[in-house]
């Protein structure tokens, strides 16, 4: 469930503490990049914007993070409601398809 759900969600579903889930993930050799959500720097790179811009979107409430990672749910909502803020001209075809899977209206 780690690649899909946030640690807090997994803990609630399994009726365990977040620390127990973190320790189990560590024992299973999960890396932080294997966890659900996005780091601000990775999202900035994918969208061809600055890290500062992604942080600004978080401050404005467009994106939400859990445990320092932007949730996929909030990114999906962002793509659907604030997709006009993403500079689509700079995005390659593979990234366009990926963004469409998150609900962004974009021509391929």
């Amino acid at each position: 469930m780690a690649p899909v759900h946030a640690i807090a969600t997994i803990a609630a579903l399994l009726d365990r503490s977040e620390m127990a889930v973190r320790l189990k993930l560590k024992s299973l050799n999960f890396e932080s990049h294997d966890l659900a959500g996005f780091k601000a720097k990775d999202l900035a790179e994918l969208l061809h914007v600055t890290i500062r811009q992604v942080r600004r979107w978080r401050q404005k409430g467009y994106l939400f993070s859990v445990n320092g990672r932007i949730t996929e749910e909030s990114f999906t909502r962002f793509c659907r409601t604030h997709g006009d803020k993403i500079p689509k001209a700079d995005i390659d075809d593979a990234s366009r398809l990926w963004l469409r899977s998150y609900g962004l209206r974009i021509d391929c």
Side-chain angles (χ1 to χ4, degrees):
M1 292 193 318
V4 179
H5 299 290
I7 290 175
T9 304
I10 296 169
L13 290 171
L14 297 176
D15 196 29
R16 302 278 192 265
S17 69
E18 288 185 33
M19 182 57 73
V21 172
R22 287 179 193 283
L23 290 172
K24 185 61 175 182
L25 290 172
K26 186 174 181 178
S27 74
L28 294 172
N29 295 320
F30 268 79
E31 300 287 329
S32 63
H33 62 272
D34 294 329
L35 300 176
F38 307 96
K39 292 185 210 175
K41 70 174 190 163
D42 294 337
L43 199 54
E45 186 177 309
L46 289 166
L47 299 177
H48 298 281
V49 297
T50 64
I51 295 172
R52 186 176 181 160
Q53 181 62 53
V54 174
R55 290 181 182 152
R56 198 173 302 125
W57 290 336
R58 258 195 334 213
Q59 288 173 346
K60 289 183 176 185
Y62 299 157
L63 295 169
F64 298 98
S65 58
V66 175
N67 299 323
R69 298 180 72 85
I70 297 166
T71 65
E72 291 193 39
E73 295 86 9
S74 75
F75 183 62
T76 299
R77 192 174 328 106
F78 176 78
C79 285
R80 290 183 179 151
T81 58
H82 301 288
D84 58 318
K85 299 188 183 316
I86 298 172
K88 298 171 189 83
D90 299 334
I91 298 173
D92 60 57
D93 290 339
S95 296
R96 286 174 187 263
L97 288 173
W98 175 76
L99 286 168
R100 286 184 68 195
S101 73
Y102 282 95
L104 184 67
R105 295 181 191 268
I106 190 169
D107 295 330
C108 287

